[in-house]
Amino acid sequence: MASVKYNAIPLDERSLTVNQLPSKNYPLCYYIIVLLCYMLVFLTSPFSWYFCFKTVKDYEALSIFRLGRLLPPKKSGINIVLPCIDKWSICDMRTRAFNVPPQQILTRDRATISIGASIYYRIHDANTSIMVTQDLNSSSRTIAQTTVKNILTTKTVQEIESKLSSLNDDIQVTLNKETSLWGMEIQRVELTLPRVLRRHEDTNTPVLLPEYTYTPKADLEYVTPGYNTINYDSTGLEMIDRRKMPEPVKIQDFNSKKSEPARFSPNDIITAIDGLSNRSHVTSTGAVYQLDVEVSREVTDTYFIDLKHGNGSAGLGIPRNCKPDCVISLSEEDMVDLFTRQLSATMAFMQGRLRVSGNMGAAMKLETFLSSLTDRVV
């Protein structure tokens, strides 16, 4: 990911370059303009205080560009921002997390697995994170996905299944070598349990079949010797050898029956939205949603869809670092039908199957967002 020239610069030397600004290089006009701005603030006080005083919390850092030059980061408390010549941004230094969507990986023993990860990180240098990367969120997600794939392709299935904890540490160390130059620290990596799609010795086994598609066993009423049929159910792959069956009988026409459509789970939908959302969706929607999904009478799962910050994100739990603009409550079946466009949000709301609290305008924008993803998610 990083070039040789970039890695050749020590980390402490790069931090010194970003965080320290030598005052001897300032031209005389710089001091004149700054002095005039201070005089303007003094003459227009106390009205100017509203624009000049910025409060920074203990877990935040304030970065200021003054006439295009980056100043050292400001700590918590009240800080002065000069009008007209200062551009500022506040960086949250708390621990955050994102998910690496499950990806198909060819292992060293030529088996195919599907595995994802959860990455926990924090920003330890606000100025470096602004200066080095244009989009820290997108860059960190991309390098995390690439690192997970590069490391796991050098392992066998047995090594991945038996040494998940050591692999978590290896991925964390590798990521920190790159992200530390961005002012970001990877605190924890958790790989999900791998799902084996095909092993090397299973040459006749179909590969890359989703786990929610299957042929019900109830449909197998007649069989014929001399053929093998593979049936997929929730327990995995089961091979039925028809040659061990008794005398041949008629074969039922399976094409005459309509196969059951593939059903998505809420986790599948949220994972797909997290991978497909982009900056154009954030620009057109500009809202954060919280979904309270009723799995049963006593169990409710909570998901979030953030179409307001960065390139958009989605995941399990309440929205991170912000309050939702709209809270939507619905059942698990209605959520699947809604996100696969088998149910209209307006009709579900009128029938009482969908309850909305908060910004109704934001709720209407969510239906437009779902329409744009219909062909890609379903």
Side-chain angles (χ1 to χ4, degrees):
M1 182 74 181
S3 62
V4 177
K5 292 183 179 180
Y6 192 80
N7 288 333
I9 303 177
L11 177 60
D12 53 351
E13 187 175 331
R14 283 199 66 86
S15 301
L16 181 64
T17 305
V18 171
N19 293 331
Q20 292 186 1
L21 185 65
S23 58
K24 61 182 180 180
N25 292 336
Y26 288 4
L28 179 61
C29 62
Y30 175 88
Y31 296 101
I32 295 176
I33 294 175
V34 172
L35 180 60
L36 292 176
C37 286
Y38 275 109
M39 294 176 60
L40 178 63
V41 172
F42 178 76
L43 294 176
T44 57
S45 60
F47 302 103
S48 59
W49 296 351
Y50 178 79
F51 303 97
C52 297
F53 291 156
K54 303 297 177 183
T55 302
V56 181
K57 300 177 182 178
D58 286 334
Y59 56 83
E60 295 176 335
L62 177 65
S63 299
I64 300 177
F65 284 89
R66 178 165 296 170
L67 293 176
R69 293 176 177 266
L70 181 62
L71 302 182
K74 307 298 180 181
K75 297 183 179 180
S76 59
I78 298 178
N79 294 273
I80 298 178
V81 176
L82 297 179
C84 304
I85 65 172
D86 283 355
K87 290 186 178 181
W88 56 276
S89 63
I90 293 180
C91 180
D92 195 325
M93 311 292 285
R94 293 177 294 182
T95 298
R96 287 175 281 184
F98 63 86
N99 295 325
V100 176
Q103 53 183 328
Q104 297 169 3
I105 297 176
L106 184 65
T107 59
R108 191 178 64 183
D109 55 351
R110 304 190 64 80
T112 305
I113 64 173
S114 176
I115 191 171
S118 297
I119 310 294
Y120 298 84
Y121 71 97
R122 63 178 293 270
I123 296 175
H124 65 82
D125 191 333
N127 280 6
T128 303
S129 66
I130 294 175
M131 291 289 293
V132 177
T133 59
Q134 182 180 9
D135 189 344
L136 183 62
N137 183 34
S138 176
S139 300
S140 57
R141 289 172 181 267
T142 302
I143 195 173
Q145 186 173 4
T146 304
T147 302
V148 170
K149 185 173 183 179
N150 291 341
I151 291 181
L152 296 186
T153 51
T154 63
K155 308 295 181 181
T156 64
V157 174
Q158 184 178 3
E159 291 174 343
I160 295 175
E161 293 177 340
S162 61
K163 300 180 180 179
L164 273 182
S165 58
S166 61
L167 289 175
N168 291 335
D169 296 337
D170 294 342
I171 295 174
Q172 180 181 353
V173 171
T174 304
L175 283 176
N176 272 321
K177 291 180 181 178
E178 301 294 338
T179 58
S180 59
L181 300 174
W182 303 348
M184 188 176 78
E185 175 190 2
I186 303 298
Q187 295 183 315
R188 184 179 178 183
V189 175
E190 289 292 339
L191 290 171
T192 61
L193 293 178
R195 183 165 63 91
V196 180
L197 302 178
R198 185 180 67 177
R199 296 185 181 273
H200 176 56
E201 60 271 11
D202 298 337
T203 56
N204 296 326
T205 302
V207 68
L208 308 184
L209 291 177
E211 55 187 358
Y212 48 76
T213 57
Y214 66 95
T215 303
K217 292 183 180 179
D219 290 343
L220 298 176
E221 298 178 2
Y222 301 97
V223 293
T224 301
Y227 293 93
N228 290 333
T229 300
I230 301 176
N231 297 304
Y232 301 95
D233 56 13
S234 58
T235 60
L237 297 177
E238 180 180 358
M239 177 69 77
I240 299 179
D241 191 354
R242 291 180 174 176
R243 289 174 296 183
K244 296 181 181 179
M245 293 295 178
E247 53 192 354
V249 292
K250 294 182 179 180
I251 302 177
Q252 184 179 358
D253 186 6
F254 291 99
N255 295 329
S256 62
K257 288 190 175 183
K258 294 183 179 180
S259 60
E260 295 184 2
R263 292 289 294 179
F264 293 87
S265 68
N267 289 331
D268 295 332
I269 294 173
I270 294 299
T271 300
I273 292 177
D274 182 61
L276 296 176
S277 58
N278 52 45
R279 187 171 296 275
S280 63
H281 296 140
V282 173
T283 303
S284 60
T285 306
V288 179
Y289 302 92
Q290 176 178 325
L291 305 179
D292 295 332
V293 181
E294 299 175 0
V295 181
S296 63
R297 293 184 178 180
E298 299 180 355
V299 179
T300 300
D301 291 340
T302 301
Y303 302 90
F304 74 90
I305 302 176
D306 187 351
L307 298 176
K308 193 175 184 179
H309 304 93
N311 291 327
S313 61
L316 180 65
I318 62 175
R320 307 186 183 110
N321 305 327
C322 63
K323 293 182 179 180
D325 299 301
C326 180
V327 179
I328 302 175
S329 301
L330 71 170
S331 65
E332 182 178 6
E333 293 78 9
D334 290 341
M335 176 184 176
V336 175
D337 293 340
L338 178 66
F339 280 76
T340 55
R341 307 302 297 157
Q342 299 178 17
L343 175 66
S344 171
T346 304
M347 184 63 65
F349 178 76
M350 295 177 62
Q351 294 176 353
R353 299 164 61 180
L354 184 146
R355 299 176 297 278
V356 179
S357 61
N359 190 339
M360 293 297 296
M364 297 177 64
K365 291 182 179 180
L366 179 60
E367 186 172 12
T368 305
F369 167 72
L370 297 180
S371 300
S372 65
L373 296 183
T374 299
D375 297 334
R376 303 178 66 185
V377 176
V378 178

